[in-house]
Amino acid sequence: MPETKRHRYKIIKWIAATIIIAFGLLSATAWFLNVKSRPLLTAQIKTLLYKSTDSLYTISFSNVSTNILTGSATLQNVKITADTIRFKELIRLKRAPNNLYTVTLKKLVVKHFHPFTLYRQKKLQIEEVIFDKPEVLMMNRQFDFNENRPPRPIKSPYSFIAKNLEEFRINAIRFQDASFKYINKNVNQLNVFAIDDLNITLSDLLVDSTSADDPTRFYLLKDVIINLNDYQYTTPNKLYNIKLNKLDFRASTGKLRINKFELEPRYDEMKFAQVAGHATERFHIQMSDILMNGIDLPVYISKQELRAKEMGIANGFISVFNNGSTKKAEGEIKKGRFPHQLLQKLAPPVLIQKIKLKDVNISYTIYNDESKQRGRISFEHTSGIFKNVTNLPKIKAINPKMEVSLNTYLLGQASLDLNFKFDLKSPKGYFEYKGILHNFNARILNQITKPLGLVRINRGIVDKLQFDFKADNTGAKGKVDFYYYDLSVALMRNDPAKDHLVTRGLISILANALIINSENPNRHNQFISSDVSYKKPDSSSFFSLIWRSLYTGIKNSIGITEEKQNEIKQHIANFREMRANHEIRKRNRLKRRMQREKQRKLNERR
């Protein structure tokens, strides 16, 4: 081998040997530091959690493994628990938090904890902590001494760690695929809420000499991010599934977005009430593009109150079905079931200052057992604003009114402006509703009047339908002004032999001739305004109250009053009596004719 090549070969061998030795020394050093760092890291973790939580929480784990080169550690079989004795002491000292947590998981991963910074600068800086599939139990008990406290620790955790650390920082704490269970300890009855597959990121946790007073932080954090891809929950009565698709929340902006929410019935329309065991309305609700702004996360965490400045809902539907053939439960009373009354019964405290509704379709369908038909009224492309949606006693004391303004299209054609005022404090469920239904062809109402009122509108043009009602659990009183012209109707009856509704010819003729006002105002410019006093049956619903009170006013306006109906019944009775007398006279004439003919034949034989 030439001298030059031999020399190069020796240099390469020397470099290789040096690298191997250096790597070996580095590996040995890393192993030594790993071994030595584990007790220190274990002690730091346990001491840090214990001291920074005012001696409330402790952490236990079966094993810890570290990698000094990557600055990572893994804890196995982790459990974070609260000391109940210390909690009672903190209650006595009025320093206890409203929430108590228990966290268990198989593996906790700490990434990039910068050990040299810890040793040299007394700063424990961690890039990321991952809780992999943790089970989180949260118990909420509200204390008066925590009322209106700012979202920061009562006592800065820095005072507990100052002797050992100048700074403790975690850039991101991630709860991946968490199972979350919440227990409300503020009520006598056990109230448990559970949810799985939740992802939570706590961003930039900082404990130092100033972080506790930083107004841009809450509970020492810069942000909280919550994600939920898909969630399904079956209601306790087993009648519905609640579904959520893609929920995203960011605390720093107070914005929550939900792609889709659905209240899905588990049974079809005709079977639903049978499964429920009594007559009940079947709801199917689906909403898309739900956005909430101005959510107060600290209030929700401490008091479980959902407070938001604004909520937007776009694109969805509310479908209600009432099976009139189902027997009502014995003694069934649907009092306390109006929307604002149900809001007061809602378990979580809620305040949403404003809800904006856009392009939502609402329909109410009744199956009429008499006609064997379905009557459907729909309000399409509904948009509007809800104000002061709340069940909080303090808010109701200041402003007890929930106001709703809506614009919609009746049966997709007639423009309707609606306004509601709900009294949130009324024990009787008092509310007011008024509106204006603008110009439309009256025949579109046949979808309602034929199956539910057994009345077919042959023709008619509506200029305006204006109404103003005051209502509560007992019924509704108000006024209906119905402007229309060229109205003609046909009264119907069910014909089982033909399996459909048929016209009651004579009665229809008499109704149009004697009862129906074909126009309002009439040719003499006289206008009939209908004063309505509708008594609500105990078993009827909110939708039924609205529909029936309006329908009563419409019938009175066109002349189908109780007096007029009695009048037409008398005319029909008189007509039937005349027809019966006519038949008797006809039979008598025939009898006399037959007798004369018989006598004539006898005379001829003689």
Side-chain angles (χ1 to χ4, degrees), residues 30-243:
W31 174 84
F32 178 77
L33 290 175
N34 283 337
V35 173
K36 291 295 183 180
S37 67
R38 286 173 194 168
L40 177 63
L41 183 62
T42 298
Q44 285 283 3
I45 291 172
K46 291 184 175 182
T47 302
L48 186 63
L49 181 66
Y50 183 73
K51 288 187 175 181
S52 64
T53 59
D54 202 359
S55 306
L56 180 57
Y57 286 97
T58 58
I59 184 172
S60 63
F61 41 89
S62 61
N63 185 41
V64 57
S65 58
T66 59
N67 188 324
I68 204 71
L69 295 177
T70 60
S72 62
T74 301
L75 284 66
Q76 305 288 342
N77 301 316
V78 181
K79 188 166 186 178
I80 300 173
T81 54
D83 185 338
T84 54
I85 296 176
R86 176 58 176 166
F87 184 62
K88 291 177 181 178
E89 184 180 355
L90 291 175
I91 293 174
R92 183 180 59 80
L93 298 172
K94 297 186 177 182
R95 297 210 308 260
N98 284 356
N99 296 316
L100 213 56
Y101 298 91
T102 300
V103 182
T104 58
L105 66 156
K106 293 291 184 181
K107 183 173 68 174
L108 186 150
V109 179
V110 180
K111 291 186 175 181
H112 309 299
F113 58 81
H114 307 296
F116 294 108
T117 305
L118 173 62
Y119 298 147
R120 294 174 181 175
Q121 301 179 26
K122 296 180 64 177
K123 293 182 178 181
L124 180 53
Q125 297 176 340
I126 300 172
E127 292 293 329
E128 190 175 38
V129 175
I130 300 174
F131 289 75
D132 187 31
K133 297 180 180 178
E135 295 179 0
V136 182
L137 173 63
M138 170 183 167
M139 292 186 291
N140 179 265
R141 179 182 170 189
Q142 296 175 23
F143 299 106
D144 292 338
F145 53 76
N146 283 331
E147 188 74 18
N148 299 322
R149 271 185 173 162
R152 55 181 61 99
I154 297 171
K155 187 175 182 180
S156 173
Y158 182 71
S159 61
F160 300 113
I161 66 170
K163 292 183 180 179
N164 302 309
L165 293 173
E166 292 184 5
E167 177 186 290
F168 171 53
R169 179 173 230 144
I170 305 176
N171 287 342
I173 303 173
R174 305 189 192 280
F175 291 78
Q176 296 181 167
D177 298 329
S179 296
F180 182 86
K181 184 179 289 185
Y182 162 74
I183 298 177
N184 186 355
K185 302 288 284 187
N186 302 292
V187 293
N188 294 328
Q189 186 177 1
L190 184 64
N191 191 347
V192 180
F193 170 77
I195 189 169
D196 295 326
D197 302 322
L198 195 65
N199 296 306
I200 304 174
T201 299
L202 310 180
S203 179
D204 192 12
L205 172 68
L206 176 63
V207 179
D208 65 8
S209 58
T210 61
S211 61
D213 298 318
D214 186 348
T216 66
R217 294 179 178 273
F218 45 92
Y219 302 114
L220 307 173
L221 297 164
K222 273 290 185 182
D223 209 350
V224 176
I225 301 167
I226 300 174
N227 305 108
L228 180 65
N229 288 328
D230 289 291
Y231 170 71
Q232 180 168 319
Y233 167 73
T234 300
T235 57
N237 60 13
K238 309 298 182 184
L239 294 176
Y240 294 96
N241 289 326
I242 295 176
K243 295 181 178 180

Side-chain angles (χ1 to χ4, degrees), residues 262-483:
E262 183 174 12
L263 178 68
E264 177 190 55
R266 302 182 70 212
Y267 305 95
D268 64 34
E269 290 180 336
M270 299 304 291
K271 187 178 179 181
F272 186 87
Q274 297 174 11
V275 175
H278 58 89
T280 184
E281 290 170 334
R282 174 188 181 272
F283 288 82
H284 188 186
I285 301 174
Q286 182 176 301
M287 298 292 174
S288 302
D289 303 328
I290 300 171
L291 178 64
M292 297 182 73
N293 290 320
I295 294 177
D296 193 330
L297 182 64
V299 169
Y300 183 77
I301 291 175
S302 63
K303 302 174 66 175
Q304 303 301 297
E305 290 182 4
L306 177 58
R307 296 192 179 211
K309 293 181 178 178
E310 189 172 285
M311 180 177 184
I313 302 174
N315 305 316
F317 66 81
I318 301 173
S319 177
V320 185
F321 181 79
N322 188 329
N323 186 350
S325 66
T326 306
K327 290 184 178 180
K328 296 176 176 60
E330 187 176 347
E332 180 186 11
I333 297 177
K334 284 190 178 179
K335 290 185 178 180
R337 301 290 300 275
F338 293 160
H340 57 309
Q341 293 175 310
L342 293 175
L343 175 63
Q344 305 315 301
K345 296 175 183 179
L346 198 64
V350 173
L351 169 61
I352 304 176
Q353 296 177 19
K354 183 186 292 186
I355 298 178
K356 292 182 177 180
L357 204 66
K358 183 180 179 182
D359 203 20
V360 173
N361 295 329
I362 303 169
S363 66
Y364 182 65
T365 305
I366 304 177
Y367 177 79
N368 188 340
D369 199 36
E370 180 184 356
S371 67
K372 306 300 181 185
Q373 303 284 323
R374 296 177 186 226
R376 180 179 181 271
I377 184 169
S378 67
F379 304 91
E380 299 178 20
H381 306 293
T382 304
S383 300
I385 294 176
F386 294 66
K387 292 182 180 179
N388 194 40
V389 181
T390 186
N391 56 12
L392 297 179
K394 289 184 178 180
I395 303 299
K396 290 189 296 182
I398 300 171
N399 179 14
K401 299 294 183 183
M402 179 174 73
E403 298 185 21
V404 181
S405 299
L406 300 173
N407 174 258
T408 186
Y409 289 87
L410 176 66
L411 299 167
Q413 298 186 47
S415 176
L416 172 62
D417 297 316
L418 269 171
N419 291 279
F420 292 88
K421 289 184 179 180
F422 297 97
D423 189 338
L424 301 176
K425 295 175 64 178
S426 171
K428 289 187 175 182
Y430 177 83
F431 70 101
E432 301 173 4
Y433 58 101
K434 62 182 179 179
I436 300 177
L437 183 61
H438 301 279
N439 180 271
F440 65 96
N441 190 319
R443 292 181 64 185
I444 69 170
L445 296 176
N446 280 328
Q447 297 181 48
I448 316 163
T449 60
K450 281 177 63 177
L452 301 185
L454 295 175
V455 174
R456 185 186 70 204
I457 299 174
N458 295 324
R459 65 178 184 271
I461 299 298
V462 176
D463 283 330
K464 182 172 64 175
L465 173 63
Q466 189 168 321
F467 53 91
D468 192 344
F469 280 91
K470 294 175 173 59
D472 58 23
N473 286 327
T474 62
K477 292 184 179 182
K479 185 178 182 181
V480 174
D481 291 333
F482 191 27
Y483 297 81

